[in-house]
Structures are given as structure tokens and as C-alpha cells.
Amino acid sequence: MKKFVNSVDTMLTESLDGFVAAHSDILLLGEGHKFVRRRTLKPGKVALISGGGSGHEPLHAGFVGHGMLDAACPGQVFTSPTPDQMVEAATSVDQGAGCLFIVKNYEGDVMNFDMAAEMSEGVMQVVTNDDVAVEDSLYTTGRRGVAGTLVVEKIVGAAAEEGRGLAELKTLGDRVNAATRSMGVALTSCTVPAAGKPTFEIGDDEMEFGVGIHGEPGRRRDRLKGADEIAKEICAAIAGDLGGKMRGKALLFVNGFGGTPSMELYLMYNATRRIFERHGVEVVRSLVGSYVTSLDMAGCSITLSMLDDEAARLWDAPVNTAALRWGV
Amino acid sequence: MKKFVNSVDTMLTESLDGFVAAHSDILLLGEGHKFVRRRTLKPGKVALISGGGSGHEPLHAGFVGHGMLDAACPGQVFTSPTPDQMVEAATSVDQGAGCLFIVKNYEGDVMNFDMAAEMSEGVMQVVTNDDVAVEDSLYTTGRRGVAGTLVVEKIVGAAAEEGRGLAELKTLGDRVNAATRSMGVALTSCTVPAAGKPTFEIGDDEMEFGVGIHGEPGRRRDRLKGADEIAKEICAAIAGDLGGKMRGKALLFVNGFGGTPSMELYLMYNATRRIFERHGVEVVRSLVGSYVTSLDMAGCSITLSMLDDEAARLWDAPVNTAALRWGV
């Protein structure tokens, strides 16, 4: 295993210490590394809290700050955070207007966020499930929540900043999730530090089509194809699933899984944008980079999120987090 | 070779097409993909132009925009751009106040930027050489220019935006370069698309200490060590070289080479920050991410840039580029 690490046991806490130290102008670390929260809270605002297994950085702690999340709870690598983490985060950031949990659809996450919601008052939840690759999977009943979660967190975060109420934010989050579809492909496996070896074996001429963000299986193992062919199949899967919803304006988000450099991601952006535009989609917003990762996995996912005027306006609203920053 | 690519011959232009399309609000592409420039120029401002071989993205095109560069010239992967690229970029963005070329110290780049400077009028140059790993190298006489180039481009870019003159910007650039030191380590090789195989062989238990950003040799091949040990040796090399200059406030920049995920970079930030602080440095600004890359190479570099009050103020000034954005 080739990683910058001192000990597998302390890797997460050392990284969190560095993360919060590097962004101490906007962030605080909760006791026992249980959560990362905004340094400054806004009285009367609904608190947005997310979290999940680590290894997907910058998701979620990189999206804590003005205009996005109030707190994020990091579990161990690819392992759900525990309910007490979410309860303590909620206690720390609740400003009397309630909390919205934004949860990726994985059984462990859903169970633990549910338990935390039951142990708290004034909590509602949005569960994201944007991955069109597979119905049900190794860790989910129903579809997996993947990179589209960023879009939900950004748009709902902006609306929360405007002072909207809990139920309205829950409705908005569900609406954004329903307008968002993703699919990914892996060229290499990730390596979980505690395992010390690649999660799956893959040949030099192979790719995993529809891979999950933990390296879990997708639709099929296939021979490695050219970028345009890969783009064509991903776009077709997204288009087939969106059906009649795929008209008008959209955000195109090309997400790297951690081991794929920027040059390749922009090439995939170029390929997928042309295809969606030929389908009549107007790409009015773009995001390209490694935002929802799988440790060091080489690969990428494509997310298309249909934007009405309100969603576009909220996407553009100021955001000041470690990983996304504009308008401030 | 596992990359998202259609054809090695068109990889760069396809990626540039995607890049400029994704950031069309701030960028334009020069004819024949010769340069990337700001969409909106500022009359009377000195124009800042950089460039170099591709494969280091987001450097340099990702730093074109308000508060940083006016244009960047991308060569083929790890190959200097040609003088006509810089001449055409200068012609396109010159606002009558002259041009400053910011050039990483590699023989091909220095030669081609020199030729372009001779073919143009009103050009001065800053050559960066922040890498303490080796004196002279495979591609340089003297030290290599690496991640510290970003710091020069940001600080000089902010000063140019304030309306300062060409000679003053040249002096400032040289001063920032002289206050900046870097060193890197590779855990894996990069793979140049046209070569189709790794640039160098490296064992599962080895690292290349002091590696260059093209995968060229550093100080030595060593067995893979723990993060704290790696950090200790890099910091010692930087401290030994800075000598008496290493006092007071500094920017600590932990840069990923392309294949190393965020979790490990923040762990290295944590490790190096503690060491520099024990040396009496006050880390007042931080940057952590993959900004000066070597395609898909796993590894990172550490840059320490000593900041006087003016440099800190210029670092904080608004910047609006594809890869760095704040204050706007």
C-alpha cells in the first residue's frame, strides 16, 4: 500500500486535524473528532448536517461553511458514522429552527441517521439516490447516493441561508435529488488503508462500468474503451433514466474519483457535454474536479442535474467552504 | 495505459476544449489552441503570461483570470510551448503596459520564452526555481521551478491588478521566488500518454525522494517511509536551504501530484505544519490540493513561502480563476 500514512488507526484523525487547521477561519472540530462544523452559526437558520464514511473527501466536510452545510460527521473509511456523532453535531449547530440531515442511500448511513433523528427533535431527512448504474447493490436497497449529493447540499444550503423553513428545505432537497442522475466508471481499484490491498482486482485492459464510490461492483466488467465510447454509454444510461425530464437547462458535473487527473476530467467533460447538447440539453452550469472520491481510485462519474430557474439561482448563490467557494 | 483518452494526438486539444467550455464565463481559447486567455482584459494593466508543458494542470491555464494570469500557453505534455504561442498570447492580451512572462526554470521553457521575449516589445521575465531537491537536473541548469510558481503567479497577479508597473512586478516576482522553497516525493510514476507506459520503474516498497514534476529523478530512491518521517526530511531540506530567512509568517502549501487523494494531503499538511511551527514559523496562510501536478503520479510536494505583510495582503486579494477563487 503506497500512501502517506503513519498508522492506519490514526490516519483519519490526523487528516481531520490538518483539514481543520488549514481552514480554521471557517471551521471547528467537534470533540473526539466526531464532527466538523462551521465556526460561525446563523441564528434562526435551519441547520444542514451530512456525513458518511470517510474516503470520499472533500465530501462532506469540505462542504461545511456559509451557503452549504453546518456540520458533517465523518465515519471511518467507507464506514457509516455512529448516531451519537450526528446527535452531537445537531446539538452543536441547532439554532432552534430544526435540522435537515442529508444522507446518501447506503444501509448503514440510513440506519444510523434514522436512529439519530429519533434521538433528536425537529429533524427531517433527505436521502439521495442519484446513481442510475444499479437498482439495489452491495450496500443498498434501491439506488446508491453518489456525486449528485453535492448538488443537493449546495442548492439546499443556499436556500437554508435565505431563511427557509425545515419542511420547505426537505421538499426542495427531494426535488433536486429527483432531477439529478449520475453514473461512474473505474479504471483502477481503490485501496482501503485498513485492508492494505486493492478492494478489487482489475486487468490492465479492463474497466468497471457503473462502479460504486466504495469500489463496489457496477453493471459489468468491460474491456477498456475510448473516452467517447465511455461517455456515450454513461450519457445514454442517464438519458434513458431521466426520460422526459431531460429537457432545458442543466448542470453538468464531471467528478474524479481521486486518482484521475484534471486533464482527463476536462476531456470527459468535453465528450459528455457534446452528447447531452445533441440530446437538446442546455448546459448552463459546470463543475469539473475530484469532489466525491473513492480514496485513490482512478475513474470518474458524470452527473446531470436539471435546473429550473430557482435551482440555478441557488447554485450561483455565495458559498464559502474548503472545497467550493464563490461569491464571497 | 489506463486513461480517459480517445487518441493521444488529440488528448490535449480535447481537454482544452472542455476546459474553456466549462469556464467560458471567464476564459477564451486562442486560435489553434495556442493559448488560453482572460475573456475580459483590463486596459492599462501589465499583462501576466505563463505557460509550459501540459500535464501539470491546473497549472497554468487554471490560474488565468482576474487577480492572476492574463494568458497561459500550453505545450504538449511535458514539452515547452513554442515561441509563437507566447508571441501570439502577448499580442492578444497586451494592454500597452508591457508583459511579464513567468517561467519555470527548465531549459526548453527558458529558451522558448527568451526567444518570444526577443520577438516582442516591452517584455520582462521572472524565472522560478523553488525546488531545493537538486542543483541542476535532467532538464535544468540550476534548480527546477515547481509548485512555488503558483505563489509567484498569485502574488504578482494581485499586484498587477492594482496597476503596478512592469519593472516593479518583475522585482516583486523575483522577491517572492526568493522567499519560496519546495520539495516533493513520488510514490508512483506518472504515465505520459504518448509513451503509454510509466516514466520510471519503482518498487512497491520504494519512493523517489526529491522527484521532479515530470517524474525526473530527485535526490535518491529510498524505501517507503511513514508520513512523519517523509515530512521531517522534506522540512529539514527546506529549512536548511532557507536558513536565516525562515522566521516569521509563512504560507504552507501542500500540493498533490495528481494521483494522491485529499485525505493524505491533509495528513501531510498536519505533519509538516507541526514541524515548521516547532522551527518557529508562523503558518498564517494555507493551501492544500492538487494544483501543480505530474499527470497521474501519486505523491506530493511541500512549499513554504515566507510572507511579509505585503505578500500576505496580495495573497488574500480577490482571484477568479478556474482553480483558485476567492474574494469575488
Side-chain angles (χ1 to χ4, degrees), chain A:
Chain A
M1 179 176 66
K2 301 196 92 168
K3 290 184 190 292
F4 294 106
V5 55
N6 290 306
S7 146
V8 166
D9 294 338
T10 59
M11 188 173 185
L12 177 59
T13 55
E14 288 177 60
S15 182
L16 284 169
D17 285 342
F19 177 72
V20 173
H23 304 287
S24 61
D25 52 331
I26 57 169
L27 299 178
L28 289 175
L29 189 57
E31 205 184 306
H33 297 85
K34 286 187 177 171
F35 58 89
V36 172
R37 57 157 272 197
R38 290 192 201 188
R39 182 172 277 279
T40 309
L41 302 171
K42 191 167 177 176
K45 190 183 90 69
V46 171
L48 260 56
I49 299 174
S50 190
S54 292
H56 305 301
E57 292 71 27
L59 184 87
H60 297 275
F63 306 139
V64 173
H66 178 87
M68 222 161 157
L69 300 176
D70 290 270
C73 303
Q76 291 297 317
V77 171
F78 294 173
T79 303
S80 175
T82 52
D84 67 303
Q85 292 183 255
M86 284 73 101
V87 170
E88 288 190 29
T91 303
S92 179
V93 300
D94 186 4
Q95 296 294 295
C99 295
L100 185 69
F101 290 171
I102 300 179
V103 185
K104 300 192 298 302
N105 187 37
Y106 294 98
E107 281 168 8
D109 289 327
V110 168
M111 185 177 71
N112 288 348
F113 273 96
D114 273 349
M115 285 180 62
E118 282 168 24
M119 293 159 72
S120 310
E121 283 186 21
V123 170
M124 296 184 86
Q125 297 190 67
V126 171
V127 178
T128 63
N129 63 349
D130 52 306
D131 190 345
V132 304
V134 289
E135 282 296 333
D136 301 336
S137 73
L138 209 53
Y139 309 120
T140 59
T141 304
R143 290 176 172 191
R144 302 174 296 210
V146 291
T149 310
L150 177 155
V151 184
V152 174
E153 292 179 356
K154 172 66 186 79
I155 290 177
V156 177
E161 215 67 55
E162 291 183 350
R164 302 212 209 159
L166 181 58
E168 195 183 346
L169 293 172
K170 150 79 175 158
T171 303
L172 175 64
D174 287 338
R175 181 156 63 87
V176 174
N177 178 61
T180 302
R181 298 290 188 286
S182 302
M183 193 154 104
V185 57
L187 306 189
T188 69
S189 176
C190 47
T191 296
V192 175
K197 62 184 178 60
T199 302
F200 59 92
E201 295 294 322
I202 185 163
D204 283 346
D205 58 348
E206 289 182 323
M207 62 180 183
E208 179 66 27
F209 207 84
V211 70
I213 58 172
H214 311 90
E216 68 269 39
R219 290 188 170 189
R220 66 175 191 281
R221 186 63 56 92
D222 201 348
R223 70 175 176 82
L224 184 58
K225 293 178 180 170
D228 281 345
E229 276 186 89
I230 296 171
K232 192 175 166 187
E233 188 167 343
I234 293 180
C235 292
I238 289 173
D241 201 89
L242 271 172
K245 286 186 188 171
M246 203 172 90
R247 50 178 6 127
K249 296 176 178 174
L251 162 71
L252 174 56
F253 169 25
V254 176
N255 173 60
F257 282 144
T260 287
S262 167
M263 181 188 279
E264 295 174 52
L265 298 180
Y266 280 107
L267 189 147
M268 285 299 288
Y269 172 86
N270 189 54
T272 51
R273 178 175 175 142
R274 284 162 193 257
I275 294 168
F276 284 130
E277 287 184 340
R278 279 200 297 272
H279 275 79
V281 171
E282 189 187 351
V283 175
V284 293
R285 298 292 183 277
S286 303
L287 186 68
V288 182
S290 294
Y291 292 104
V292 179
T293 62
S294 307
L295 295 164
D296 52 351
M297 189 159 83
C300 73
S301 63
I302 307 298
T303 296
L304 191 74
S305 183
M306 307 312 299
L307 293 179
D308 56 28
D309 289 345
E310 182 192 38
R313 185 180 64 74
L314 292 168
W315 177 261
D316 291 341
V319 60
N320 188 23
T321 68
L324 279 189
R325 191 167 5 178
W326 56 72
V328 286

Side-chain angles (χ1 to χ4, degrees), chain B residues 110-260:
Chain B
V110 168
M111 186 178 71
N112 288 349
F113 273 97
D114 273 349
M115 285 179 61
E118 283 168 24
M119 293 160 71
S120 310
E121 283 187 22
V123 170
M124 297 184 86
Q125 298 190 66
V126 171
V127 177
T128 63
N129 63 349
D130 52 306
D131 190 346
V132 304
V134 290
E135 282 296 335
D136 302 335
S137 73
L138 207 52
Y139 309 119
T140 59
T141 304
R143 290 176 172 190
R144 303 174 295 211
V146 291
T149 310
L150 177 155
V151 184
V152 174
E153 292 179 357
K154 172 66 187 81
I155 290 176
V156 177
E161 215 66 54
E162 289 183 351
R164 301 213 209 157
L166 182 58
E168 194 183 346
L169 293 172
K170 149 81 175 156
T171 303
L172 175 64
D174 287 339
R175 181 156 64 85
V176 174
N177 178 60
T180 303
R181 299 289 189 285
S182 301
M183 193 154 104
V185 58
L187 306 189
T188 69
S189 175
C190 46
T191 296
V192 175
K197 61 186 179 59
T199 302
F200 59 92
E201 294 293 322
I202 186 163
D204 283 347
D205 58 348
E206 289 182 324
M207 62 180 182
E208 180 66 29
F209 207 84
V211 71
I213 58 172
H214 312 90
E216 68 269 39
R219 290 189 168 186
R220 67 174 190 282
R221 187 63 56 93
D222 201 348
R223 70 174 177 82
L224 183 58
K225 293 178 179 169
D228 281 345
E229 277 186 89
I230 296 170
K232 193 174 164 186
E233 188 167 345
I234 293 180
C235 292
I238 290 172
D241 201 88
L242 271 172
K245 286 186 189 170
M246 203 174 88
R247 53 182 358 131
K249 295 176 179 176
L251 161 71
L252 173 56
F253 169 24
V254 176
N255 173 60
F257 282 144
T260 286

